[in-house]
Amino acid sequence: GFLTRAERRRLEGLRSPHNKFWVPLVWFGALAGRARREGRVRDDCALKLLLEREVAQVAQGGDTGALQVVTIAVYTFFLTCLLGRQFLDPAQGYAGHELDLGVPVFTLLQLFFYLGWLKV
């Protein structure tokens, strides 16, 4: 609903082996540059703010499928680490392995770093 029929035909007519989400962003940049040259955008600071806002909106509404895959991978990795790094049962008498009831500090640090990277 954001493209005209002519724009949609042009977008579908482009040959690219990659996702074409960036094409409207390029179109917008060209239109914004023309608006600046024609005096519709009063100065370079306004143009910069306009372009930054558009880039942020495209980044937020872009390919969310990849973000969902990464989010699932991070949570799955954390849960696997949390279960896989548990202490051994001391009743089994494994040589050199004593009961370890410590907080998994490094696993928690990994989780915090990965979740922080996801937010970025």
Side-chain angles (χ1 to χ4, degrees):
F2 293 108
L3 297 174
T4 64
R5 287 190 175 117
E7 290 171 337
R8 183 174 179 170
R9 281 194 299 272
R10 284 182 66 192
L11 183 61
E12 290 172 349
L14 291 174
R15 302 276 184 233
S16 176
H18 307 290
N19 192 338
K20 295 185 267 188
F21 72 91
W22 52 271
V23 174
L25 183 62
V26 173
W27 290 346
F28 178 80
L31 286 174
R34 183 169 47 167
R36 173 69 181 113
R37 285 189 301 276
E38 293 174 357
R40 292 189 222 166
V41 176
R42 69 186 154 167
D43 58 18
D44 291 336
C45 289
L47 178 64
K48 180 179 178 274
L49 289 173
L50 187 66
L51 291 173
E52 285 175 352
R53 177 172 285 185
E54 181 63 21
V55 168
Q57 287 178 352
V58 168
Q60 288 176 355
D63 188 13
T64 58
L67 179 62
Q68 291 172 351
V69 169
V70 171
T71 303
I72 291 170
V74 166
Y75 283 113
T76 303
F77 173 76
F78 175 68
L79 289 174
T80 304
C81 286
L82 196 59
L83 294 174
R85 294 175 182 172
Q86 295 295 317
F87 59 85
L88 298 173
D89 184 11
Q92 298 294 323
Y94 296 113
H97 296 284
E98 291 78 30
L99 182 62
D100 181 16
L101 293 177
V103 176
V105 175
F106 290 109
T107 303
L108 289 175
L109 280 175
Q110 277 185 322
L111 172 69
F112 294 144
F113 285 130
Y114 291 153
L115 291 179
W117 286 334
L118 272 178
K119 296 298 178 190
V120 172

